[in-house]
Amino acid sequence: MTHAADTPRPTRFAPSPPLLGTIAAPGDKSISHRAIILAGLAIGTSRISGLLDSGDVAATIGAMRAMGARIEQDGDDWVVQGVGVGGLMQPASALDMGNSGTSARLLMGLVASHAISATFIGDASLSRRPMARVAGPLADMGAAIDVAPGTRLPLSVRGIAPAIPLAYRLPIASAQVKSALLLAGLNTPGATRVIEPVATRDHSERMLAAFGADIAVETDGDGVRTIILTGRRDLSPCDLTVPGDISSAAFPIVAALLVPESRVTVTGVGINPRRAGLLRVLGEMGGDIVLANQRDVGGEPVADITASHSALHGTDIAADLASDMIDEFPILFVAASMAHGHTVARGLGELRHKEADRLGAMAAALAACGASARIDGDDMIIDGSGGAPLPGGATIAANHDHRIAMSMAVAGLVSRDGVTIDDMASVATSFPSFVPLIERLQAGA
């Protein structure tokens, strides 16, 4: 692999030798955001180990510092002195979210129930992403929200204290909207209720409980979850370890399944049931994936995952699985393009609203590399190569999307003529060590 020294950083991923070795995944991005925010609201000092060191998490750290939390790095750990629920300070300038939609949406919720105002800005990619799903219910709680046309950044939130407790039924499954409302509920008197017809990742519920929030979850006979948070309760400081991010581990795992003679172990990976859909699907496709040393870390289930080269076969992925692996579909599409037979992934409209239109961008990228991929409504349909290398030879536009960049990098490893990614800079938002890690595995590290 070679890449230019300056940004943009085009990088060519050539056909790979076997990938061999044991590595650790970077810290879970979703959990890292929530750990910094809740530690910043606790009364006292929290210590966080395993925090993801990336551009996205840096945006959350910068915003919480701007609103009064003291956050310092101590070796590999982060030490956070919180301000207490209700204690956020008025930021002196706009909060720059960079490329982090998670930072923007969660912090909008946090600000909404405090008597402060904040302006949220972001890069060109983030400024194209809609914020209406969060802005609407926060306005119902009493926050005043001034948005750019299309309900996009730049965006200003003028919080209100006390806010109005809300009972909100999610029209579309979204862990970010749920989490934003729960964060708003922390400084809201009474009970804030979020109703989930389709369960989403529950990192927020687990971590709120760990910090001592008054939170309960009820599930009815139809599987509908209601999360009930009673606000204006102090949070206690917490020492916690962030598990490895399964969304990042997905790339070396799939690469090991596809590159002949490979065997890779990724240690300390979070396997939260609402995040592990990719592992279930890859197993159904015939992937040789073994989970070992299963344990609990910081309230989250964790395991060491070993993936070995496998002959995959196509599968049919139901729409109700989408929320359990929404971030992993780009790399799953690459796996499907190398499988024997036909894969259909259904109900993927949410992929159109990520950093890029991941549905359209991945269909175009795979087609440019010689794979058979097409879209039918919100479904992706892929006819696999039967294990034969993809032709490759293309230069792929990553569209400032880290998951597109890394997914097509893996496609390059199993291609005949290699694949060039036009710019790998976006990978710094979630997996800064991706390229050197792949090089280590190629060297048998």
Side-chain angles (χ1 to χ4, degrees):
M1 289 172 284
T2 59
H3 58 77
D6 301 321
T7 56
R9 301 188 344 239
T11 306
R12 182 172 182 269
F13 292 83
S16 180
L19 304 173
L20 300 168
T22 298
I23 58 174
D28 187 285
K29 185 156 69 76
S30 295
I31 295 174
S32 293
H33 286 298
R34 289 157 173 81
I36 286 292
I37 291 170
L38 293 180
L41 290 178
I43 297 176
T45 302
S46 300
R47 179 174 287 269
I48 306 168
S49 61
L51 195 79
L52 175 63
D53 183 9
S54 76
D56 276 16
V57 176
T60 295
I61 291 172
M64 291 303 294
R65 281 173 170 162
M67 292 187 287
R70 292 177 56 187
I71 306 174
E72 303 295 338
Q73 191 165 11
D74 181 16
D76 293 333
D77 294 349
W78 289 81
V79 179
V80 182
Q81 180 73 40
V83 298
V85 171
L88 293 180
M89 296 173 56
Q90 173 67 42
S93 58
L95 303 178
D96 189 350
M97 302 290 95
N99 188 243
S100 180
T102 302
S103 300
R105 295 187 178 101
L106 268 57
L107 292 168
M108 284 170 60
L110 185 63
V111 168
S113 64
H114 286 74
I116 62 174
S117 299
T119 297
F120 295 85
I121 61 175
D123 66 11
S125 173
L126 181 58
S127 298
R128 291 192 294 268
R129 297 176 66 182
M131 298 290 160
R133 289 183 194 170
V134 176
L138 292 179
D140 292 341
M141 296 182 76
I145 301 178
D146 182 20
V147 298
T151 322
R152 291 172 168 81
L153 301 187
L155 176 153
S156 295
V157 178
R158 186 171 72 251
I160 184 171
I164 303 166
L166 188 69
Y168 186 76
R169 186 181 181 92
L170 293 173
I172 298 174
S174 173
Q176 289 184 0
V177 175
K178 172 180 67 176
S179 299
L181 296 178
L182 293 175
L183 289 173
L186 283 172
N187 197 41
T188 299
T192 295
R193 289 175 167 83
V194 182
I195 303 157
E196 280 192 315
V198 177
T200 65
R201 59 186 65 175
D202 63 353
H203 301 311
S204 292
E205 296 95 305
R206 290 171 183 260
M207 192 167 292
L208 282 161
F211 277 91
D214 187 345
I215 186 169
V217 180
E218 299 175 352
T219 305
D220 69 16
D222 296 322
V224 175
R225 299 172 79 242
T226 299
I227 303 98
I228 306 163
L229 185 139
T230 302
R232 297 213 158 170
R233 306 292 176 89
D234 290 337
L235 299 184
S236 302
C238 189
D239 292 346
L240 57 90
T241 298
V242 177
D245 196 328
I246 194 167
S247 296
S248 296
F251 300 104
I253 286 170
V254 171
L257 294 177
L258 299 182
V259 175
E261 301 179 38
S262 295
R263 181 181 175 88
V264 171
T265 297
V266 189
T267 60
V269 181
I271 53 169
N272 184 297
R274 297 273 70 86
R275 293 285 300 280
L278 177 70
L279 298 181
R280 295 196 295 272
V281 170
L282 290 173
E284 292 169 1
M285 295 175 71
D288 182 353
I289 297 174
V290 177
L291 274 59
N293 193 20
Q294 297 190 42
R295 66 253 191 216
D296 184 272
V297 173
E300 294 278 348
V302 168
D304 302 336
I305 302 174
T306 299
S308 303
H309 176 245
S310 305
L312 302 180
H313 53 79
T315 190
D316 194 315
I317 305 169
D320 60 8
L321 191 58
S323 63
D324 290 356
M325 55 181 293
I326 195 66
D327 289 330
E328 290 75 62
F329 274 106
I331 189 61
L332 185 277
F333 296 155
V334 175
S337 74
M338 294 283 292
H340 295 261
H342 190 67
T343 294
V344 180
R346 305 180 187 279
L348 302 182
E350 182 68 14
L351 288 183
R352 301 185 189 278
H353 305 293
K354 294 292 184 177
E355 284 84 335
D357 172 3
R358 286 182 180 162
L359 197 59
M362 283 301 300
L366 288 170
C369 293
S372 173
R374 62 190 185 279
I375 298 170
D376 181 9
D378 288 336
D379 302 344
M380 176 75 91
I381 303 168
I382 297 173
D383 295 312
S385 70
L390 300 177
T395 295
I396 301 301
N399 295 295
H400 307 288
D401 188 308
H402 52 133
R403 302 204 193 281
I404 292 174
M406 289 185 281
S407 296
M408 294 311 299
V410 172
L413 302 181
V414 291
S415 69
R416 186 182 65 225
D417 297 324
V419 172
T420 298
I421 311 301
D422 69 337
D423 188 4
M424 290 293 288
S426 62
V427 170
T429 66
S430 66
F431 202 161
S433 61
F434 172 76
V435 171
L437 182 146
I438 292 296
E439 291 173 340
R440 277 181 50 207
L441 292 174
Q442 289 175 327

